[in-house]
Amino acid sequence: MLWTITIACLLLAGLIFRQSFRNRNEAAEMAGEDAGLAIVEFGRAFPEEAIRAMISTANGRTVFLRLHDGKAGVMHAHGHHYTCHLIEPGAVRVAGAGPKRLSVQFSNASFEGGTFEFRDEKQAAEVSLWLLGSFMPGMAGPRPQIVGQPN
């Protein structure tokens, strides 16, 4: 009888431990990965690009990046992995979808767009400026020209 109670207590303790471990993993996945992992993943995908700033969405699943030369990048978390995308000039359309939300569509289908919600209006405005600032028509051609410089 004592062995039965001991085994039942051990099984109950194992189930409680397993459930708490599962809840902890699900909470980390729902909150998105940390910023350090996002930087490492983007650096692995695009080693020649330097990150100046980054803003994540309210749920932490998508991270928008401002790069060193005026370009922009975006990463979306899929579990413990990120899909990284370097935004090419003219390849994005941005529209406001509310005070803290942006609707983003990419013309090439290599990255999914959608509606992204940020923590506040300032972050949404900043990301929209990054995305729209990555559209540099003078830089898209074979001979990049700087505005105000002679040909």
Side-chain angles (χ1 to χ4, degrees):
M1 179 72 172
L2 182 61
W3 287 105
T4 307
I5 294 173
T6 305
I7 291 173
C9 288
L10 287 174
L11 285 175
L12 183 63
L15 288 174
I16 291 171
F17 178 75
R18 181 177 161 218
Q19 187 64 28
S20 68
F21 187 71
R22 180 181 291 173
N23 288 342
R24 196 173 348 156
N25 282 346
E26 288 175 0
E29 188 173 319
M30 291 302 290
E33 302 296 330
D34 62 0
L37 182 61
I39 291 171
V40 168
E41 289 295 324
F42 193 82
R44 187 179 304 158
F46 300 103
E48 67 281 353
E49 301 294 336
I51 299 170
R52 289 180 69 185
M54 57 188 276
I55 294 177
S56 64
T57 56
N59 64 3
R61 307 290 294 163
T62 305
V63 178
F64 290 91
L65 303 148
R66 181 178 179 200
L67 304 176
H68 72 287
D69 56 355
K71 289 189 264 181
V74 63
M75 299 184 305
H76 185 70
H78 297 283
H80 295 288
H81 302 283
Y82 279 100
T83 54
C84 302
H85 181 70
L86 187 63
I87 299 172
E88 299 294 328
V92 64
R93 284 192 293 155
V94 180
K100 298 188 289 185
R101 299 174 70 169
L102 290 177
S103 175
V104 180
Q105 283 106 24
F106 298 97
S107 61
N108 55 5
S110 64
F111 193 79
E112 67 254 11
T115 302
F116 302 99
E117 184 171 350
F118 296 90
R119 290 176 185 86
D120 58 16
E121 294 87 4
K122 183 179 176 184
Q123 287 183 343
E126 186 75 19
V127 168
S128 69
L129 289 175
W130 294 353
L131 294 176
L132 295 174
S134 69
F135 178 69
M136 295 179 274
M139 302 299 274
R143 286 187 47 206
Q145 296 178 0
I146 299 173
V147 177
Q149 296 290 325
N151 292 340

